[in-house]
Amino acid sequence: MKASILSLSAALVTLTAADNPIVQTIYTADPAPLVHEGRVYLYTGHDDDGATTFVMNDWRVFSSSDMVNWQDHGSPMSLKTFSWATAQAWAGQAVERGGKFYWYVPVRHFSGAMAVGVGVSDDGPTGPFRDAIGEPLVMNNEIDPTVFIDDDGQAYLYWGNPGLWYVKLNEDMVSYSGNVQQVTLTAEGFGPRQGGNGQRPTTYEEGPWLYKRNDTYYMLFAASCCSEHLGWSTGPSAEGPWTYGGVLMPTQGSSFTNHPGVIDFEGSSYLFYHNGALPGGGGYQRSVAVERFEYGADGSLPTLDMTDEGAPQVGTLDPYIRQEAETIAWSSGVETEPCSAGGINVWAIDNGDYIKVKGVAFVDGAVSFAASVASQSSGGRIELRLGSVDGTLVGTCDVPGTGGWQNWTEIECEVSGATGTQDLFFRFTGGGGELFRFDWWQFSQ
Ligand SMILES: *[C@@H]1O[C@H](CO)[C@@H](O)[C@H](O)[C@H]1NC(C)=O
Ligand SMILES: *[C@@H]1O[C@H](CO)[C@@H](O)[C@H](O)[C@H]1NC(C)=O
């Protein structure tokens, strides 16, 4: 573990029953969830450890089929993707159209103005993404794009702080027709602001999130400043007019910003947001979290508190198919990196670190455990424990030295006593320093 994360490990112990925040290996911000083919893809920003202002150089992608175990897909897009961008990899959103994925993001243009760029992936929701047009899509020194494709195929891009702006995107998703429109911010549309002024007359601040449910269009946003809360408005079309609905999430959670993202998945509705809840967290070390919610019968949104528990698990995790080591409900001390065997692996594994995988269904029991590991030192052990990090030990796998941190080998060990649906803990033990790295695992019944 890195020193900055190491110092947090004692505090992490008190959070082991939690599933929020979603990611513990890095600080994440500005969630943008997307449902695609039975999985939730979560696009986020990335706050640097220890930064004392916004230091954000890349974006990250995570995915889950159960809302609690999240697979890390690394960083398929960064400031370097946009040759004209110099800084500030801030709050974006991705959408699929015609089999391609378009990821709209605000960045600082070399002229000094904030601009919105668009990355495109031909290879699915986890990228890699390239700069679609080689220049800003829009540039008016405002930020935080949200993208929405209406049922008639018309796509909209909204963005803005302190204003709220939009364009109608063309079907190619990388150009637009007509003029850039500015929404008139009225108290009726976005709620009156205490101490509002000409530039910020309403609670609308930044981070818009546009979607449609039945025949109602929803505009969520980060509200007031600072600290922000989340607010919501509705309208009869994607171009409004907007009517203020109320507070979606009060000011909570030791980050002076927030950012909404809403999806429906497997019959439930979810709000993603961010706070400073990870140890060491705060306004510049934020973490993405999630809550499940229900709409009112009239389509209204509830007011949601931030929780440590997060959303309940959808279904269970199958231990009899290969699972990635970087599919994590909770972890302590470890980090992730690109793997020479493809994808991502877990690294920075020291004595006492652990990974929790939630709701693992040992429906047919288990007789053995296999894993892919690498170690440039003399390795260590993976203890397989159920229920908690100190829970029932059902197997111990020795990890040998393999001659390099990316020289992968498969290990196998016996398992007994793993039955039922269990929270599975990989507890790593060994000597001093980094022990080994961990790519994937699988049980056999
Ligand atoms: C749309 O409204 C109907 C009731 O008018 C409701 O049964 C249905 O679940 C709603 N659809 C969604 C996606 O919420
Ligand atoms: C580790 O992997 C590298 C690259 O494949 C290879 O050159 C090297 O010989 C390997 N080392 C050992 C000890 O296997």
Side-chain angles (χ1 to χ4, degrees):
M1 62 183 82
K2 278 204 258 170
S4 55
I5 300 286
L6 172 65
S7 61
L8 313 176
S9 60
L12 280 172
V13 170
T14 61
L15 283 175
T16 52
D19 294 312
N20 272 335
I22 287 171
V23 177
Q24 306 82 40
T25 50
I26 56 168
Y27 294 107
T28 54
D30 302 325
L34 170 69
V35 177
H36 178 69
E37 292 181 351
R39 278 186 89 78
V40 179
Y41 292 85
L42 177 59
Y43 298 80
T44 78
H46 171 205
D47 284 334
D48 264 21
D49 293 6
T52 53
T53 182
F54 292 120
V55 179
M56 306 181 74
N57 298 313
D58 64 1
W59 295 271
R60 298 293 175 121
V61 184
F62 305 85
S63 74
S64 179
S65 59
D66 65 9
M67 299 301 295
V68 299
N69 295 301
W70 290 91
Q71 181 178 347
D72 189 331
H73 297 284
S75 175
M77 196 166 87
S78 75
L79 286 179
K80 292 194 182 103
T81 306
F82 303 97
S83 61
W84 47 271
T86 58
Q88 282 148 330
W90 284 358
Q93 186 182 354
V95 71
E96 184 267 345
R97 183 163 206 163
K100 295 188 183 199
F101 291 80
Y102 299 89
W103 194 353
Y104 301 84
V105 287
V107 290
R108 188 168 295 285
H109 182 258
F110 59 74
S111 67
M114 290 304 292
V116 174
V118 52
V120 61
S121 162
D122 309 316
D123 302 317
T126 62
F129 289 79
R130 63 176 194 284
D131 186 355
I133 52 176
E135 59 184 5
L137 175 60
V138 293
M139 182 162 70
N140 67 350
N141 203 27
E142 297 208 24
I143 59 174
D144 291 0
T146 180
V147 61
F148 166 70
I149 304 172
D150 207 345
D151 299 334
D152 64 3
Q154 178 63 57
Y156 298 85
L157 188 80
Y158 273 78
W159 74 98
N161 172 351
L164 179 58
W165 309 79
Y166 71 97
V167 290
K168 289 180 165 184
L169 294 174
N170 294 329
E171 207 171 329
D172 66 10
M173 298 301 278
V174 299
S175 62
Y176 61 90
S177 295
N179 295 324
V180 173
Q181 306 284 333
Q182 183 169 16
V183 176
T184 302
L185 296 172
T186 63
E188 189 190 30
F190 296 91
R193 180 187 293 230
Q194 299 279 337
N197 58 34
Q199 225 189 7
R200 300 178 194 273
T202 73
T203 70
Y204 177 83
E205 178 75 14
E206 60 178 354
W209 181 268
L210 173 65
Y211 67 98
K212 182 181 189 178
R213 180 177 179 269
N214 281 347
D215 291 328
T216 300
Y217 295 78
Y218 290 78
M219 183 68 76
L220 314 187
F221 50 94
S224 299
C225 186
C226 294
S227 295
E228 293 174 346
H229 64 273
L230 299 180
W232 61 280
S233 302
T234 56
S237 83
E239 297 178 87
W242 301 104
T243 301
Y244 179 61
V247 173
L248 174 58
M249 178 169 267
T251 298
Q252 294 175 351
S254 67
S255 157
F256 64 86
T257 63
N258 201 345
H259 186 287
V262 161
I263 53 163
D264 282 347
F265 178 65
E266 299 288 328
S268 293
S269 301
Y270 298 90
L271 170 67
F272 291 76
Y273 59 95
H274 70 222
N275 60 24
L278 204 64
Y284 306 116
Q285 275 81 36
R286 296 163 292 175
S287 289
V288 169
V290 63
E291 308 297 339
R292 189 173 71 166
F293 72 91
E294 286 179 20
Y295 290 86
D298 59 355
S300 59
L301 284 162
T303 302
L304 292 165
D305 288 322
M306 301 180 179
T307 73
D308 289 340
E309 292 74 30
Q313 187 168 13
V314 177
T316 55
L317 186 128
D318 182 352
Y320 309 120
I321 60 173
R322 175 177 149 160
Q323 298 285 355
E324 298 302 316
E326 67 276 12
T327 296
I328 295 171
W330 193 264
S331 64
S332 177
V334 304
E335 300 191 37
T336 63
E337 64 174 358
C339 180
S340 66
I344 300 290
N345 64 262
V346 172
W347 76 285
I349 295 174
D350 292 345
N351 183 45
D353 292 347
Y354 68 86
I355 290 171
K356 171 189 173 185
V357 186
K358 193 171 182 176
V360 179
F362 291 104
V363 285
D364 299 315
V367 296
S368 68
F369 171 82
S372 181
V373 293
S375 177
Q376 189 169 298
S377 65
S378 55
R381 287 175 301 284
I382 304 175
E383 297 178 0
L384 310 173
R385 292 183 179 268
L386 303 182
S388 75
V389 70
D390 304 313
T392 309
L393 184 68
V394 296
T396 301
C397 246
D398 289 323
V399 176
T402 63
W405 293 121
Q406 289 289 331
N407 294 50
W408 297 95
T409 193
E410 282 182 39
I411 57 168
E412 202 171 315
C413 57
E414 282 180 19
V415 175
S416 76
T419 58
T421 297
Q422 304 276 355
D423 292 348
L424 170 66
F425 287 76
F426 299 118
R427 185 183 181 192
F428 308 112
T429 59
E434 186 178 356
L435 302 177
F436 54 88
R437 299 187 184 183
F438 185 15
D439 187 17
W440 56 261
W441 58 270
Q442 184 169 6
F443 284 84
S444 301
Q445 69 267 53

